[in-house]
Amino acid sequence: MGVTGSGKTTVGAALSRRLRVPFADADDFHSAANVAKMSAGTPLDDDDRLPWLRSVGAWLAEHAVGGGVMSCSALKRAYRDVLRQAAPQVVFVHLHGEPELVRRRVAGRPGHFMPATLVASQFAILEPLQPDEHGLVLDLGRSVDQLVQDYLAATPPSPTAPAEPSPGPQGDSGEPR
């Protein structure tokens, strides 16, 4: 999870290869109307997102037993709740970093429907993982290989599915990791 340009797709695809589980990009689940709206520089509202989130949740539920990795913004707790309702075992990996780094990444990304002008709106609605949410926070400034290793180091191995990290994104100091 994370804002546009945080590396969700790149890291998610690498993680799925490492775990040998299917990968999906939530962007591929958007309706044509949602893509057109974002392409025009208009942020989606919650009514736009609900059918999309339900589709993403259905994919997660279908892959609950064997495992799977989905890149999805999941910026608000309410959005993550929709996903958890469909797939209670879901674990979130929040790729977090500085807005300026993300803006540079998005501005340099050719052919994507999400313009750099919407980065600020994504950060504005971002609600960090709460201590009762299964997941962890990783620094998007690290390399893809480092991020995959960070995830694997934070999770115990599992023979049947990706393992769940400890609940909550907090370290021993109480600060986000």
Side-chain angles (χ1 to χ4, degrees):
M1 67 167 273
V3 299
T4 188
S6 61
K8 298 179 301 292
T9 300
T10 303
V11 174
L15 183 59
S16 77
R17 283 190 302 274
R18 181 70 182 268
L19 296 173
R20 295 189 173 120
V21 297
F23 172 75
D25 186 333
D27 284 349
D28 296 336
F29 291 70
H30 276 297
S31 67
N34 280 4
V35 171
K37 192 172 184 179
M38 289 182 285
S39 295
T42 305
L44 300 179
D45 60 31
D46 289 350
D47 290 335
D48 297 323
R49 287 186 183 98
L50 187 57
W52 169 69
L53 288 166
R54 287 183 177 146
S55 295
V56 170
W59 188 93
L60 291 169
E62 289 171 13
H63 293 85
V65 174
V69 176
M70 167 73 74
S71 65
C72 180
S73 53
L75 297 176
K76 289 184 179 181
R77 167 92 189 223
Y79 305 162
R80 296 188 297 271
D81 289 344
V82 170
L83 300 176
R84 267 192 296 274
Q85 189 174 35
Q89 80 296 341
V90 70
V91 176
F92 295 96
V93 178
H94 178 187
L95 298 177
H96 179 69
E98 294 300 316
E100 186 52 37
L101 172 59
V102 173
R103 272 191 289 279
R104 284 194 310 269
R105 285 182 175 184
V106 172
R109 191 166 62 176
H112 195 273
F113 62 80
M114 182 69 86
T117 55
L118 291 183
V119 170
S121 72
Q122 294 232 316
F123 274 100
I125 66 168
L126 175 63
E127 295 174 1
L129 289 173
Q130 298 301 302
D132 65 328
E133 294 184 90
H134 289 289
L136 63 149
V137 177
L138 299 178
D139 179 358
L140 64 84
R142 293 173 58 81
S143 74
V144 173
D145 289 339
Q146 289 170 324
L147 290 166
V148 169
Q149 288 298 354
D150 291 348
Y151 172 82
L152 295 172
T155 59
S158 171
T160 58
E164 293 188 21
S166 304
Q170 306 300 317
D172 293 338
S173 67
E175 293 298 316
R177 290 188 268 174

